[in-house]
Amino acid sequence: MITSSAIEDLKSRFQGKLMVPADPQYDAARRVFNAAIDRRPALIAQCAGADDVTQALNFAREQNLLVAVRGTGHNVAGFAVCDEGLVVDLTAMKGIEVDPQARTVRVEGGCTWGEVNDALQPFALAATGGFVSVTGVSGLTLGGGLGWLVRKHGLALDNLLSAEVVLADGQQVMASADENEELFWAIRGGGGNFGVVTSFIFQAHPLGAVLAGIVLHPAAVASDAIRRWRELEGGAPDESTQGALLFHFPDDPSGPPSLRGAPVVGLGGVYAGALKDGEKLLRPLREHESKLVDTFQPMPYNAAQRMADFLWPAGLYNYWKSSFLTTLSDAAIDVFVDWFARVPSKRTVIVLEHNGDSAWDRVPDGATAFGSRAWPYNFVVTSAWSNPQESEQNISWTRGLFAALRPYLAPGAYVNYLGGDEGVEGLEAAYGRKLARLAAIKGKFDPANLFRLNQNIAPALVQGREATALG
Ligand SMILES: Cc1cc2nc3c(=O)[nH]c(=O)nc-3n(C[C@H](O)[C@H](O)[C@H](O)COP(=O)(O)OP(=O)(O)OC[C@H]3O[C@@H](n4cnc5c(N)ncnc54)[C@H](O)[C@@H]3O)c2cc1C
């Protein structure tokens, strides 16, 4: 129980908004992307800046409260909200400052990637961000950051130049290659384990129009289509980041009647180089007899980042499974296609990504805390449904597909795509042999594990005794 006098006292030192369950805005403020997460914090501290974050963390420590940190609340595991504790909510921290000369952008912790690329576009600059516009800069960057420029410019975290961080003891520090280097290494992959990042400075990149879009084919030819995409990926230059997706076309009256609700395979993405080179490269994807739709066209990068938004609306029940693959074999493709034919929900999307042989895996392995770049192919099954009574059926289908893929799974996973029920296995897959170093840095910056609502790295050397990296 937090007393109202304690809250009043905090209010006198707090610039932002404090919300308790009786507040009319409380329900909207506790909601996250995944409707399956329904938690009721004792207090939501919607911060106006770094000083508010310091005040909120000091209050949480004094009151012995569980702490959740919210960038924009997109993590499907629901780490951005807790029961009973305190949410350090950054959603009102929306500052973005572009420096066109230095080609950098300073971004506060509550921004989405769409907002950042909208601010960069007038300067013909872009930041890699994610594959959709709505995800949070914070969580996405701290775990990795796969987006449409990943093969050209690496992960979002590879483009991070510095960060302002509020540590567990409330102290505000900078982290960069020259300042608090260990912390800078750890936050580039180690997620929210080390502190609350209140702002980031990213390298942005000059970028004119990109060639972006998707070609849809009926799901009946999915096996052939995905093999064709894999062939193209074999020799693709860094400028090209394309994916393969299995999904149902939205059952929306504004769509073409022949496609509404139909199962399809989509091949597409972004070519961020000379348009004529992109046209030539992508011809095998676009000029196939089975195609139903081809949306490829030149567009600004901020528009390209929005083109897949329709596939992942907020407010559905979500359960995700993901892993890197040792290789994308014919047999693995057949497993995806066979299981998709039996998917219980038309809102579920299977995404296949190819990041390898590009700027992404030319970053030295030890340069950041990001788990492993050894595996070129990655997948994420984003199961989503609208009726909570269908949860068991959808979760069980997702687990079944994942089990069928076991022979092809690499010993590595992307931490931001984990669903939250993987436990130690997920942590080991995400960080591998980097876990011990991360645990040592965690022990230094957050020995009491205040930041534990995340893919939690237990601090080594807790209270003078050796802890294992897994707690
Ligand atoms: C629809 C959808 C599409 C996605 N697409 C992509 C994609 O294209 N590429 C990709 O790489 N990932 C993608 N993701 C995964 C995404 O990277 C994670 O969900 C990420 O956590 C979202 O960031 P957020 O700030 O919204 O996280 P939140 O849910 O707000 O926070 C998640 C956790 O991140 C940590 N955190 C958040 N902000 C801070 C901060 N400022 N300081 C310290 N810790 C913090 C905390 O531990 C927090 O609990 C997608 C997710 C969704 C739901």
Side-chain angles (χ1 to χ4, degrees):
M1 275 293 282
I2 317 173
T3 62
S4 47
S5 68
I7 292 177
E8 282 309 310
D9 183 47
L10 174 61
K11 215 177 246 173
S12 67
R13 292 174 269 129
F14 198 81
Q15 304 298 309
K17 217 181 274 173
L18 295 175
M19 283 172 263
V20 293
D23 196 296
Q25 291 157 319
Y26 171 86
D27 271 329
R30 73 183 179 90
R31 208 169 293 140
V32 292
F33 170 83
N34 183 0
I37 308 296
D38 180 19
R39 300 193 184 131
R40 302 185 66 82
L43 183 63
I44 299 174
Q46 203 173 76
C47 302
D51 290 346
D52 276 357
V53 173
T54 293
Q55 293 296 345
L57 294 179
N58 291 348
F59 183 81
R61 280 196 328 277
E62 284 155 22
Q63 300 280 331
N64 201 18
L65 295 170
L66 182 64
V67 170
V69 180
R70 180 183 182 125
T72 68
H74 271 78
N75 193 284
V76 287
F79 293 135
V81 64
C82 53
D83 274 325
E84 292 175 6
L86 180 149
V87 176
V88 178
D89 179 338
L90 307 181
T91 52
M93 291 174 56
K94 291 284 190 189
I96 300 177
E97 293 159 40
V98 181
D99 181 339
Q101 264 71 47
R103 292 178 180 157
T104 59
V105 58
R106 179 179 178 276
V107 181
E108 283 194 321
C111 294
T112 64
W113 279 108
E115 290 160 349
V116 174
N117 275 307
D118 285 351
L120 287 168
Q121 195 64 53
F123 302 98
L125 292 171
T128 181
F131 296 116
V132 295
S133 69
V134 292
T135 42
V137 168
S138 285
L140 184 137
T141 302
L142 297 172
L146 294 163
W148 294 122
L149 301 177
V150 64
R151 292 173 46 79
K152 192 170 182 189
H153 296 302
L155 292 163
L157 62 73
D158 295 325
N159 293 277
L160 183 63
L161 300 175
S162 65
E164 290 179 271
V165 188
V166 184
L167 300 177
D169 62 5
Q171 205 191 144
Q172 298 174 19
V173 300
M174 288 295 300
S176 71
D178 309 316
E179 224 174 322
N180 291 306
E181 301 93 304
E182 250 187 337
L183 179 63
F184 188 54
W185 180 84
I187 61 169
R188 286 176 296 153
N193 273 284
F194 304 94
V196 180
V197 179
T198 51
S199 73
F200 303 79
I201 295 183
F202 291 99
Q203 187 68 62
H205 302 277
L207 194 59
V210 295
L211 182 62
I214 192 162
V215 184
L216 300 182
H217 302 266
V221 300
S223 287
D224 280 352
I226 296 174
R227 283 168 171 79
R228 219 163 39 248
W229 167 70
R230 181 185 61 188
E231 205 168 301
L232 179 111
E233 290 300 312
D238 292 1
E239 284 75 13
S240 181
T241 300
Q242 313 294 326
L245 295 91
L246 290 160
F247 63 98
H248 284 81
F249 198 86
D251 200 359
D252 175 341
S254 65
S258 61
L259 277 178
R260 273 186 229 159
V264 292
V265 55
L267 309 175
V270 166
Y271 185 86
L275 293 178
K276 65 172 179 18
D277 295 342
E279 297 276 0
K280 189 170 164 206
L281 177 83
L282 298 174
R283 215 167 277 151
L285 289 193
R286 301 178 62 194
E287 292 183 356
H288 197 269
E289 58 193 8
S290 64
K291 88 173 169 199
L292 301 166
V293 170
D294 173 3
T295 69
F296 269 100
Q297 57 182 302
M299 62 178 85
Y301 185 69
N302 62 337
Q305 210 182 34
R306 285 193 162 78
M307 68 186 174
D309 285 2
F310 73 97
L311 287 170
W312 292 281
L316 297 175
Y317 293 80
N318 273 261
Y319 181 77
W320 291 18
K321 280 278 187 199
S322 173
S323 174
F324 289 108
L325 294 163
T326 48
T327 175
L328 184 58
S329 62
D330 285 352
I333 292 174
D334 291 343
V335 172
F336 285 114
V337 173
D338 289 350
W339 276 76
F340 180 68
R342 286 174 274 136
V343 66
S345 168
K346 286 192 170 189
R347 307 313 296 254
T348 292
V349 184
I350 298 176
V351 183
L352 285 162
E353 297 168 354
H354 175 239
N355 312 308
D357 306 320
S358 70
W360 178 71
D361 52 5
R362 286 198 289 274
V363 175
D365 181 56
T368 73
F370 185 81
S372 170
R373 304 180 194 234
W375 314 105
Y377 286 95
N378 193 23
F379 74 88
V380 54
V381 181
T382 66
S383 284
W385 59 100
S386 52
N387 181 351
Q389 286 175 347
E390 292 165 5
S391 296
E392 206 181 306
Q393 187 191 7
N394 281 283
I395 292 170
S396 149
W397 175 86
T398 316
R399 288 181 177 154
L401 166 55
F402 197 72
L405 286 166
R406 280 242 173 248
Y408 317 105
L409 302 186
Y414 173 35
V415 72
N416 278 351
Y417 284 169
L418 295 179
D421 63 351
E422 298 84 359
V424 167
E425 199 185 325
L427 207 59
E428 285 178 334
Y431 296 115
R433 58 194 173 74
K434 292 183 181 173
L435 207 44
R437 183 173 173 195
L438 282 163
I441 301 173
K442 174 84 172 172
K444 191 166 161 188
F445 287 96
D446 184 17
N449 205 6
L450 184 72
F451 303 116
R452 75 181 75 126
L453 274 182
N454 40 43
Q455 295 292 344
N456 194 226
I457 298 161
L461 279 177
V462 184
Q463 291 167 355
R465 81 181 155 80
E466 283 281 351
T468 69
L470 302 173

